[in-house]
Amino acid sequence: MQRSLRFVHPFLIALYPVLSLLESNRDQMASQGAFRSMLVSVAITLGLLLMVRLVVREWEKAALITSMALLLFFSYGHLYRVIRHEDLFGIVIGRHRYIIILWLLILSIWSWFVVKKVRRADLWNATFSLVAGVAVILPLIGLVQSELKPGFDLESRQEFKPLQQPSNIELNNNVNDIYYIILDGYGREDVLRDIYGFDNSEFIRFLDDEGFYIADESKSNYIQTALSLASSLNMEYVNYLADSLGEESFNRDPLNQLIQNNRVMRYMDQQGYNLVAFDTGHEATSLRDVDVFLSSEEHSAFLPDWLTLKRIVPFEELLLETTAVVGVLDRIKIAEEAYFKNVVDPLYQAQRNRTLFILDNLADIPETEGPNFIFAHIVAPHPPFVFGPDGEARNPGASFTYHDGSDFLEAVGTREEYIEGYRDQLVFLNKQLERTIDDILSNSDRPPIIILQADHGPGAYLNWQSLSKTNIDERTSILNAYYWPEVEDGYLYPSISPVNSFRVLLNAYFQENYELLDDRTYFSPSNRPYLFTEVK
């Protein structure tokens, strides 16, 4: 092996965690952030290698020490996740203080061994490089195979072919704007009362006083956001994906395609509506292929979005959770609580900014030339719980994550903490929604159409892998409210579910004649979204 390649292993080790994460999550998560993660990993590795070289004065030995440091760094989060609840002789061993000490001890012993005992560093480096090279090749093979695999053909379904003729409605500035506002995880009034001990009657009364129709028997069609929105935005159930992909598939790319290129917004585009969407923090629901895309993030005029460091994307968040950054962040949070209470975790602050940005800017849309179709997915009151009841910043004592249900209980906190955080965030969200809805109605020259709808309910009693261990009423009973001016009664009914929302809307306002589907609800595990079980 050439001398220059013998100690390439630190850079291969730096690339492996990114490639492995990308390969294992290629069907569940957008790859945005992966290339930036590689650049940062390689840059940090180069800096670390140079620093160690200054100390040990030999490139070969510096490479061996650097590689061990990287192995420990990138494996930290995996070990912590496995042993965080384990105890030995009554002592919980899965604590950062123990793992950090152990990792530093291993690194110290290894560094001493390399400096004092290793005589043929070239052989050690050759072995490290060979093993690291094989490790990197494996996820690359998976990624190549994934790219060669035939994709989901959205247009092959007759239902999704573009409409040939727009309706005969003549559009002008007097046509109603349409708001489709998704409140992630917002439960129905009776469920919030019975399970969460939360009285939501004041907000429901506000909606009723404003003229909203409250579908007080409504349930979601699915228990996962991507399934629910792919269904509602395309006005049909998506169970056919189980036939084309298989019940055991975890390929979420077709769901993302169905949301990004949905039938409802294409219809509205053909009618002459301006399409407006927001940056939600989720790639699937951040619909950028619209006329107006609004984001709370600042974008560089000179650098592409993927290269700017103003925002950590979900891929990077998941990568950080597997590293020693988990321990560092937890130590920082303890220090913040004790000494620096005003220091804010940037990931939680970004979530707060996105939520407030959407709520604030929804009210400004009536001032733009229309007509407008507005899609706004607000990740609240769903975890993470980043607001207190008065809007104060709340930083849960765990790594930033969107985990819900049993995943939340495993990685974030207790069921009691979930219920408390959910209620507090809901109190603040209600206040903001009342202000936003008042502003939308008062700023609109012509009364808008508003659908205020949850994709599913909360998840304190949701077990992602077991229907029998899940309180299905909690997860499926949703807020579903409609502000439909200038339309006769009879279109809406108490148990209407999201799959029928736009069928009814197009019938009522665009003289279409869609048949209503049966309102059904399906459970499926998080890691097998197409393994559907109908529930009552």
Side-chain angles (χ1 to χ4, degrees):
M1 184 178 292
Q2 294 183 1
R3 180 182 177 85
S4 59
L5 296 178
R6 280 204 301 266
F7 50 92
V8 72
H9 52 85
F11 299 98
L12 295 175
I13 292 172
L15 292 175
Y16 173 75
V18 183
L19 293 172
S20 178
L21 184 66
L22 183 62
E23 194 275 334
S24 61
N25 291 275
R26 64 187 182 275
D27 295 324
Q28 303 181 56
M29 176 184 299
S31 60
Q32 184 186 28
F35 190 67
R36 184 168 65 178
S37 297
M38 293 182 197
L39 289 179
V40 173
S41 293
V42 169
I44 291 175
T45 299
L46 178 59
L48 181 61
L49 179 61
L50 292 173
M51 286 190 295
V52 177
R53 166 66 176 78
L54 290 175
V55 176
V56 302
R57 300 182 181 279
E58 293 183 41
W59 282 113
E60 288 84 356
K61 291 187 176 183
L64 292 172
I65 294 172
T66 300
S67 284
M68 180 57 68
L70 292 170
L71 287 170
L72 293 171
F73 176 80
F74 283 112
S75 64
Y76 184 100
H78 296 288
L79 176 67
Y80 176 68
R81 187 177 300 172
V82 171
I83 69 172
R84 64 190 304 259
H85 297 302
E86 300 297 325
D87 65 84
L88 183 65
F89 303 117
I91 300 174
V92 178
I93 60 175
R95 295 187 182 277
H96 293 301
R97 64 176 72 98
Y98 303 140
I99 303 175
I100 290 174
I101 291 173
L102 176 61
W103 256 219
L104 290 175
L105 182 62
I106 292 174
L107 181 59
S108 298
I109 293 173
W110 173 254
S111 299
W112 173 85
F113 173 77
V114 169
V115 173
K116 298 294 185 180
K117 299 297 181 180
V118 170
R119 296 290 177 260
R120 293 293 307 276
D122 55 337
L123 294 179
W124 282 88
N125 276 282
T127 302
F128 267 53
S129 293
L130 179 62
V131 173
V134 172
V136 166
I137 288 173
L138 294 177
L140 283 175
I141 292 174
L143 289 169
V144 171
Q145 290 176 336
S146 175
E147 289 299 318
L148 296 177
K149 183 175 61 178
F152 175 72
D153 184 6
L154 186 67
E155 295 296 341
S156 66
R157 291 182 53 77
Q158 181 67 28
E159 297 93 326
F160 292 98
K161 289 184 178 179
L163 302 173
Q164 299 301 312
Q165 297 293 332
S167 73
N168 294 323
I169 294 179
E170 181 180 349
L171 293 182
N172 53 57
N173 289 333
N174 292 323
V175 173
N176 311 75
D177 285 343
I178 301 174
Y179 291 79
Y180 187 35
I181 303 173
I182 298 297
L183 304 175
D184 206 310
Y186 200 121
R188 208 171 62 195
E189 181 185 17
D190 55 335
V191 166
L192 296 178
R193 180 187 63 244
D194 297 341
I195 298 179
Y196 284 69
F198 183 83
D199 183 2
N200 203 34
S201 60
E202 181 178 348
F203 181 68
I204 298 301
R205 190 160 48 248
F206 162 80
L207 294 177
D208 185 62
D209 291 343
E210 292 287 356
F212 278 79
Y213 177 89
I214 313 296
D216 56 10
E217 298 176 14
S218 183
K219 290 193 172 185
S220 64
N221 302 113
Y222 300 94
I223 68 165
Q224 301 184 37
T225 299
L227 290 166
S228 292
L229 292 182
S231 172
S232 65
L233 285 168
N234 291 288
M235 303 187 295
E236 71 167 13
Y237 292 98
V238 295
N239 295 41
Y240 60 84
L241 293 174
D243 298 327
S244 58
L245 299 172
E247 291 183 340
E248 298 299 314
S249 173
F250 58 87
N251 181 0
R252 293 177 180 271
D253 185 60
L255 293 176
N256 295 344
Q257 290 184 51
L258 287 169
I259 295 171
Q260 293 282 336
N261 189 26
N262 66 79
R263 188 182 190 189
V264 167
M265 293 178 73
R266 286 196 300 177
Y267 180 96
M268 293 303 169
D269 183 50
Q270 291 177 346
Q271 307 307 309
Y273 272 72
N274 298 318
L275 303 182
V276 182
F278 291 85
D279 179 7
T280 67
H282 287 265
E283 284 306 304
T285 60
S286 295
L287 309 185
R288 291 176 169 80
D289 188 19
V290 293
D291 299 299
V292 180
F293 181 73
L294 301 172
S295 174
S296 61
E297 303 289 338
E298 296 181 8
H299 297 274
S300 171
F302 306 102
L303 297 173
D305 290 345
W306 60 265
L307 194 54
T308 61
L309 296 175
K310 292 183 179 294
R311 173 185 167 195
I312 295 178
V313 297
F315 181 91
E316 293 165 322
E317 293 168 9
L318 187 57
L319 179 64
L320 288 174
E321 286 183 10
T322 68
T323 71
V325 171
V326 171
V328 174
L329 288 178
D330 283 356
R331 296 295 93 193
I332 291 174
K333 287 169 185 169
I334 292 174
E336 286 175 6
E337 293 174 2
Y339 307 108
F340 306 109
K341 292 185 179 293
N342 293 326
V343 177
V344 178
D345 186 321
L347 296 178
Y348 287 101
Q349 186 59 48
Q351 176 69 9
R352 282 186 283 273
N353 291 343
R354 281 191 293 266
T355 302
L356 294 175
F357 179 85
I358 295 173
L359 289 166
D360 289 341
N361 282 271
L362 279 170
D364 295 333
I365 292 173
E367 300 175 3
T368 63
E369 185 177 352
N372 301 298
F373 179 91
I374 303 98
F375 173 76
H377 173 212
I378 300 173
V379 187
H382 187 285
F385 303 126
V386 298
F387 292 107
D390 295 317
E392 63 271 27
R394 177 174 182 162
N395 287 30
S399 301
F400 182 89
T401 176
Y402 291 104
H403 285 333
D404 198 9
S406 52
D407 290 344
F408 177 97
L409 303 184
E410 181 178 328
V412 181
T414 64
R415 179 172 286 120
E416 291 72 23
E417 290 172 329
Y418 185 106
I419 293 174
E420 178 185 2
Y422 182 95
R423 288 189 304 209
D424 287 348
Q425 189 148 278
L426 185 58
V427 169
F428 177 68
L429 179 62
N430 283 349
K431 297 174 186 176
Q432 297 299 112
L433 285 170
E434 289 184 14
R435 178 181 59 80
T436 298
I437 290 170
D438 275 337
D439 289 344
I440 291 174
L441 295 179
S442 62
N443 292 342
S444 299
D445 293 333
R446 186 177 181 87
I449 300 167
I450 303 175
I451 300 178
L452 195 66
Q453 186 176 89
D455 50 349
H456 53 70
Y461 295 89
L462 164 68
N463 187 306
W464 277 117
Q465 306 308 320
S466 173
L467 173 58
S468 64
K469 296 179 181 179
T470 292
N471 186 323
I472 199 64
D473 285 336
E474 175 207 25
R475 189 62 176 181
T476 61
S477 301
I478 60 171
L479 173 72
N480 195 4
Y482 302 80
Y483 185 85
W484 285 15
E486 305 168 351
V487 66
E488 61 188 47
D489 295 335
Y491 283 101
L492 297 170
Y493 54 97
S495 61
I496 185 173
S497 66
V499 73
N500 280 317
S501 293
F502 283 102
R503 286 177 176 260
V504 173
L505 186 150
L506 297 186
N507 291 347
Y509 285 94
F510 293 84
Q511 290 82 57
E512 298 291 353
N513 190 31
Y514 285 102
E515 293 184 6
L516 298 191
L517 305 177
D518 291 338
D519 294 303
R520 301 179 183 275
T521 300
Y522 296 91
F523 173 93
S524 59
S526 59
N527 60 347
R528 287 178 293 172
Y530 312 115
L531 184 59
F532 298 114
T533 301
E534 185 175 359
V535 296
K536 301 297 184 181

